Amino acid sequence: MAEDSINVEFQASDARSVKMLNQLYNYHLVLNDIAVRLNEQIGNSEEITVPNEEDVKNLNDIFSKSVGTFTDITSSYENVDKYIENFYGNTKDFAQALVEELVRYNNGIADIADVGLDEYDEEKLNKWVNSMMEAVINTNETFNKLIGKN
């Protein structure tokens, strides 16, 4: 296996739940990339250019796709809690972190969309961005635990 490849074994009661978990993880990877770049700019006291136009496009794409995935989850499992119950061990912790991250993301985007970014309270926006950064870190930590990389 190549150095940068990772073998992950999900513990789940059905393959459908794993497919949805993979979709959620793909959305997380985009959020993680943006969070890393934003954190670097903040840490280096650089001008904040994240999110850029491409990032905004990706963020909108994640929102619409994750709404679709959550619709599939609720259609198949009734709610996200019952969906998470399909996983075991570290996979369950990882699924919980992913769901929490993306629910927080979707709720924040919907809240911002209600009033528009220009009219959105800056302090509330900063709190949401910080909470998203924490959620991304938490998901990364649960993933590292899942693959045995603590």
Side-chain angles (χ1 to χ4, degrees):
M1 221 184 301
E3 256 185 69
D4 61 345
S5 66
I6 298 170
N7 183 26
V8 179
E9 292 185 26
F10 293 121
Q11 296 177 321
S13 62
D14 64 69
R16 180 180 44 184
S17 60
V18 172
K19 179 182 177 194
M20 292 175 193
L21 189 68
N22 281 322
Q23 291 170 342
L24 295 175
Y25 185 61
N26 286 334
Y27 310 145
H28 160 79
L29 290 175
V30 175
L31 295 175
N32 184 68
D33 174 65
I34 293 168
V36 166
R37 289 184 289 116
L38 179 60
N39 192 51
E40 286 174 358
Q41 287 182 346
I42 292 169
N44 295 331
S45 299
E46 298 174 7
E47 178 186 352
I48 305 298
T49 60
V50 175
N52 59 36
E53 190 174 321
E54 182 70 20
D55 293 334
V56 171
K57 179 181 171 227
N58 289 334
L59 290 169
N60 287 332
D61 191 46
I62 289 171
F63 179 76
S64 64
K65 286 181 178 178
S66 65
V67 166
T69 301
F70 281 120
T71 299
D72 292 345
I73 287 170
T74 56
S75 293
S76 299
Y77 300 97
E78 190 177 332
N79 61 51
V80 293
D81 293 329
K82 289 183 180 180
Y83 167 72
I84 292 167
E85 291 300 318
N86 284 287
F87 299 100
Y88 308 100
N90 291 336
T91 305
K92 186 174 185 175
D93 295 338
F94 177 61
Q96 180 74 45
L98 272 174
V99 166
E100 287 174 3
E101 174 187 336
L102 289 160
V103 165
R104 183 177 302 172
Y105 172 74
N106 285 355
N107 288 342
I109 292 296
D111 194 38
I112 293 166
D114 282 346
V115 296
L117 186 57
D118 292 338
E119 300 297 319
Y120 199 73
D121 180 80
E122 189 172 339
E123 185 176 329
K124 193 172 177 182
L125 178 63
N126 287 335
K127 283 182 182 180
W128 176 72
V129 168
N130 288 332
S131 76
M132 282 305 306
M133 298 283 270
E134 290 171 10
V136 167
I137 289 168
N138 184 50
T139 300
N140 287 338
E141 289 172 351
T142 61
F143 181 77
N144 286 338
K145 187 176 175 185
L146 178 66
I147 63 171
K149 180 182 172 186
N150 296 336

